[in-house]
Amino acid sequence: MEKGFRLPNGTRIRLVEGDITRIPADAIANAANAALAGGAGVDGAIHRAGGPDILRELDEIRPRVGRLPAGQAVATGAGRLPARFVFHAVGPVYRDGRHGEAEALASCYRVCLEMAEERGCRSISFPAISTGVYGYPAEEAAPIATAEVRLFLESRAGSLREVIFVQFGEAAYRLYERLLGESGLQEAQD
Ligand code: ADP
C-alpha cells in the first residue's frame, strides 16, 4: 500500500506500508534508544539489515555523547541499507502525555529533518517513532509527526524533496492515510 501527497511548493509526502529497511531513501530515521546500543523493533530490523558497520560507528559516537536525551539524534552511515545515512533518534517513553512527550517526539522529527538538510539529502524515511515498545499511542503520535514534517517542508526545505512515512501494518497505514487525506494536501497521482 502506498500513497503520495504534494505540497504547494512541489515537495512530497509519501506514505508506505511496509518494512523501512527495504525502502530506498537518502536517509532513514531510526527509533533508537538512549544507549544507542541497538534493540528490538525497528531498531533491531535496521541493524540486522544494515549490518555491523552501523553499530561500529555507534560504538565510536557513544563515548562522546553518553546517553542521548529524548528528542535528540545522531547520524551514522547506512551499511547495507538502501540509503546513505541512518539518523538514530531517541523517542520519548510515553508516561501520561504530561512529561514533555509531545515536544520530545516533535523534536525527533525536526532534528532528523535538519540533519537531512545539512547533508544535502533529497529524501528521508521515518518509522512511527515511540509507538512500539515506548508506548506512545499511535493516534496521538501521528498528528505530531505529520504536522512537524509538513511545517518543515513548507518553510525550510532546501535539498529535501520527499519525506516518506513508513508504517508497519495496515492499521497504522490507515491512520496516516486518514490524517494526510483530511489535511487538505493534494494527492499525487504518479
Ligand atoms: P519505540 O521504542 O520508539 O517505540 P519500536 O521499534 O518499538 O520503537 O516501534 C516503533 C514503530 O516502528 C512501531 O510502530 C513498530 O510497529 C514499527 N516498526 C517495527 N519494525 C518496523 C520496520 N521494520 N519498518 C517500519 N516500522 C517498523
Side-chain angles (χ1 to χ4, degrees), residues 18-23 30-33 40-46 48 89-92 126-136 138 166-169 172:
D19 176 354
I20 199 165
T21 66
R22 306 183 70 98
I23 296 160
N30 179 19
N33 52 52
V42 70
D43 196 12
I46 283 175
R48 266 194 309 280
V90 180
F126 284 99
I129 298 169
S130 281
T131 66
V133 174
Y134 280 7
Y136 213 119
V166 183
Q167 295 299 309
F168 210 49

Side-chain angles (χ1 to χ4, degrees), residues 5 23 38 44 57 76 84 92 95 102 112 120 126 133 139 142 157 159 172 174 186:
F5 297 87
I23 296 160
E57 268 192 74
T76 66
R84 291 162 56 209
R95 288 167 68 187
C112 289
F126 284 99
V133 174
E139 324 72 59
S159 63
R174 295 286 177 219
Q186 190 192 346

Side-chain angles (χ1 to χ4, degrees), residues 70 91-102 104-105 130 132-137 140:
V93 176
Y94 191 86
R95 288 167 68 187
D96 55 8
R98 295 183 197 160
H99 288 81
E101 294 96 329
L105 185 64
S130 281
V133 174
Y134 280 7
Y136 213 119
E140 283 182 44

Side-chain angles (χ1 to χ4, degrees), residues 152-175:
F152 194 94
L153 285 177
E154 280 168 349
S155 58
R156 297 173 63 191
S159 63
L160 214 48
R161 300 283 89 199
E162 183 174 73
V163 174
I164 310 165
F165 288 116
V166 183
Q167 295 299 309
F168 210 49
E170 180 166 355
Y173 177 89
R174 295 286 177 219
L175 172 62

